[in-house]
Amino acid sequence: MSPKFPTSPKPPTPSKFILRHLTALALTLALPLPIFAAPEAARTVADTAPIAPDPKAEAFVNDLLARMTLSEKLGQMSQIALNQTPTGADVDDRIRKGEVGSFLFTTDAARISRLQHLAVEHSRLHIPLIFGFDVIHGFRTIYPVPIALAASWDPKQAERAQNMAAREASAVGVNWTFAPMLDIARDPRWGRMMEGAGEDPYLGSRMAEAQVRGFQGEHIGEPGHILACIKHFVGYGAAAGGRDYEEANISDEQLENVYLPPFHAAVNAGAGSLMSAYMDLNGVPATGNHWLLHDVLRERWHFSGFVVSDWESVQSLSTHGFSSGPADAAARAVNAGVDMEMTSSVYHDDLPAAVNDSTVKQATIDDAVRDILLAKYRLGLFQNPYVDVSRAPSQLVTAEQRTAARSVAASTAVLLRNQGNLLPLSKSLHTIALIGPLTDSKPDTMGSWSLAGHYEDTVTVLEALRKRFPASVAIHSTKGVEIDRGAPTIFDAQFQSPKPTLKTDEARESEFRHAIDLVKQSEVAVLVLGEQQSMSGERASRSSLKLPGQQQELLEAAVATGKPVVLVLLNARPLDITWASEHVPSILEVWYPGTEGGNAVADLLFGDANPGGHLPFAWPRSVGQIPINYARNLTQIPDDPDHRYWDSSSLPLYPFGYGLTYTSFTLGHLKQAAPSARSGSTLAVSVDVTNTGKSAGDQVLQLYTHQRSGSASRPIRELKGFQRVTLKPGETRTVTLSLDTNQLSFWSSQTHTRSIEPDTFDLWVGTDANASDHSIFTVTE
Ligand code: BGC
């Protein structure tokens, strides 16, 4: 793979390879025929109905298409990466000739404007460019990482964050984000868990829809919004061993019931583009996978947007041992359904010959170009292609953005432990020790994929505390230990955590002792530990979940002083905190909280915000428990789930959906509107929730179901509804969760269909996956 930020695009090379026909491919990839029929009364769930085309848009695009040369068409299908170095003359020339349709990594408004003027005013057909960028959790103002947004269990917060991010990106002329990432991740060794919504397809689907709405608004082209790109289709999160880019082998059952649903939900929510994944899915590269990109995406789901490859993933079809060379790679990708090639140039180089010898049909090219032009049309680029360069700076890191970033960050924190109600801390403390390598690191407060963010905008925990308290309050702060990934990252040139400065053992020991001395001199110690931003994200997989470096030793030494210790975690995967869960009174997971992260953490520590987030994954005790997702099937010796290992508990440290608050809640009076529901209808389930504590706080009500029998075994519990509510002290509210029985449908590996099978179901409502308020309902035909 070439560097993430090439300084100039690759010049075109002549085509060298003779292409092969792919007639056998669709047959090879087709699903086996059903072996068993669905149970008599099962209601087969139909796939999505096609979205009505817009005749005006179609007519416009078809007219344009009829006037385009093959070279111009391939230009629309080509995306070039540009970083912030000056645009070379060859790029200008390609724009004039209509040989490029899109750029990525161009975030400077003036540069975007210059390139767009060139395309619209100096290319033969005046087709505007589309500018893509990884707006993953904010643009200039950085919001909490996506796994944190999922931990809010509040789709409105996720929508708000992405809406604010879209506003900033669109202000500089970026009109397309490579987000949201919808990969289900059940292996926290995989670094990109950070970019998704965790382990669960239901939570993942709701977060997917919310983020698509946030980026795109009510419809594609709404001012202040940008095009979403759902990625990586599909199965990337199941990389073998959690090793980034490795192949994924996923059973049809898991693919249909776990990995595909968030994508399907996002397609139904109107996502305008989709990115194919890097890896092999069950032996076929996702970027050359006709079954995925055509049969599932187009035929079954009627996706009407366009498909972009991942970075060089068209060209690298040969690396997989799938295509025989660049020309074959180009033909296979476009025939599978990849409309635009990201950064490699085999479409440009090799598709002319392929069209010439009919390896690729002209109609296939036209379909790809039509999808791309329609997206540009829907975005309004043909009517209004230009960004207002003079207005752009005033739209970035505004007070409104900061306020939103701070409150979204506070809403994502998860309180994991709070012995003796140590948190919130008293506002009348006189001495606080703030210790750890992440207390004052701006990049590590922002998190990975913050490429357009600026360090100087970011507020660290130390800065926030210093600002919050008068000089009379002593905030003793030091790192205690340093951490370093010790290996290069793909973003090194753009974005770096502080490098270690303590070069000798003596210096390191002295710093450690100094930190512990500061703890001894203080009334309370807050340790800000976790992982540097580069330890999560792309090419950031780990083989261990331990706190990196000597952080565990630092934590143990701080606790050994006898002072009350609060552990604040900055990270984006569950770490091995089993010791801390028994010895550290308070543990607050704040993820990578973003530009206003320090202020949000200070709000949480001192009770100006009350943690209300819940875990979007089950938290393992150690790396050996992976995978430990809650939705699993029950088998032999069901009443002893804790002894599947003889050398450790087989239960997670914290269950999926878990989270505490500074107040307390009781639940009661679980009621169903009826004992049964017709298949396809909705069953109202209500529960009374009371805030029994002394402060206002949030609780997340979660509804789980279990199908007792059917054509296949069903998971012991599956999330099927949730709602986050805010209650004043003493307040009781009846919360109604609507159980849509369509959500009970599943794809059975026995019937090879998705259906709702009439049966008896268990139902639980509670505040995590161990919810105990139980009832039973039946689904009838
Ligand atoms: C990543 C994508 C990303 C693209 C462009 C790839 O390496 O896998 O998620 O959108 O680069 O930055």
Side-chain angles (χ1 to χ4, degrees), residues 4 104-105 134 178 192 231-232 236 275 278 310-311 342 449 538:
K4 189 88 193 178
L104 75 158
F105 291 146
D134 291 281
F178 306 120
R192 303 194 78 171
K231 70 185 188 186
H232 307 83
Y236 189 19
M275 187 185 292
Y278 277 132
D310 204 342
W311 186 281
M342 183 189 281
W449 287 114
E538 188 171 348

